[in-house]
Amino acid sequence: MSTSGNPFTRERLRQLAYRFPPGASWESFLEKLAAQEYCAAIVGSLGSGKTTLLEGLPPHLEALGFEPILFRLEGDVSMREKERLPERLREVKRPGFILLDGAEQLSTRHWLPIRSAASTAAGFVVTVHRTSRLPTAFECETSVSLLQSLVEELAGASLPRDEAETLLARKHGNLRAIFDDLHDRWSGVETTAA
């Protein structure tokens, strides 16, 4: 089967906007950030939407007069890059606002100079896997209804509820892993039940 027209490509996934659960919104999230003096963490497990939420934040911060700058710590970031990060962050002055994706990769030895360097910015929001060094502004979680909604947007059809539940359980709620699986299935690639 051809992969052209596959609704689960990386490009299509990157176009998805973050979806807040019932009772939450950009407005309530921004109010929480303001109450925490714009120094907080977005918390969640792998594939729960932390990066998508962080990437959606800049226009909202710009509307408040901030100048957000996104920094990423990818899975293969070197020790040298981690050690140079404080120097890069120190260049961000108010109204500059630091958004740091992947902060769970920082040891305490790396975190302390980074936290100090970020103090000259107007704000500092990070993504991490669990509550730790900064107060939590928002906790990202996945659900069957969220998965079905995203699949509907991407493919124009919903997954049966039992299949959505099975995928969430098998992939430990990791939407990225689920979409990789759906991409391969759409392309006719055999997948294992990992």
Side-chain angles (χ1 to χ4, degrees):
M1 186 184 306
S2 169
T3 59
S4 65
N6 189 322
F8 303 107
T9 61
R10 297 277 176 184
E11 295 72 30
R12 292 288 307 279
L13 297 177
R14 277 195 285 271
Q15 294 170 11
L16 292 173
Y18 186 79
R19 301 207 182 178
F20 286 96
S25 64
W26 278 111
E27 185 177 76
S28 63
F29 176 47
L30 291 164
E31 285 173 2
K32 183 93 178 269
L33 281 179
Q36 294 169 326
E37 299 181 350
Y38 298 103
C39 186
I42 296 170
V43 177
S45 59
L46 278 171
S48 62
K50 301 182 302 296
T51 298
T52 302
L53 178 55
L54 191 73
E55 289 174 344
L57 191 49
H60 299 277
L61 293 175
E62 289 164 358
L64 295 170
F66 296 117
E67 296 173 4
I69 302 169
L70 179 62
F71 296 86
R72 292 184 197 282
L73 291 174
E74 305 286 354
D76 57 355
V77 67
S78 70
M79 192 68 66
R80 184 179 186 131
E81 288 175 278
K82 289 178 186 177
E83 288 169 354
R84 283 203 319 242
L85 189 55
E87 183 182 329
R88 293 174 60 207
L89 298 185
R90 239 178 250 111
E91 295 171 1
V92 181
K93 314 284 188 203
R94 298 170 192 275
F97 194 114
I98 296 168
L99 303 175
L100 178 60
D101 191 23
E104 69 278 345
Q105 297 182 54
L106 299 168
S107 66
T108 300
R109 179 172 76 85
H110 290 115
W111 172 257
L112 294 175
I114 282 170
R115 181 66 191 93
S116 174
S119 64
T120 62
F124 184 45
V125 175
V126 304
T127 64
V128 288
H129 289 159
R130 55 187 159 274
T131 303
S132 57
R133 300 163 175 139
L134 294 177
T136 300
F138 193 79
E139 189 157 356
C140 297
E141 296 179 343
T142 57
S143 66
V144 169
S145 60
L146 173 61
L147 174 57
Q148 289 176 318
S149 172
L150 293 172
V151 169
E152 174 75 39
E153 180 176 335
L154 290 165
S158 297
L159 291 169
R161 184 172 181 84
D162 59 339
E163 184 178 5
E165 288 172 350
T166 299
L167 282 168
L168 273 173
R170 194 171 74 214
K171 301 296 183 180
H172 309 287
N174 184 333
L175 292 177
R176 194 179 310 120
I178 291 169
F179 289 134
D180 284 346
D181 191 43
L182 292 173
H183 176 275
D184 290 347
R185 284 165 53 184
W186 186 278
S187 303
V189 176
E190 289 296 319
T191 58
T192 59

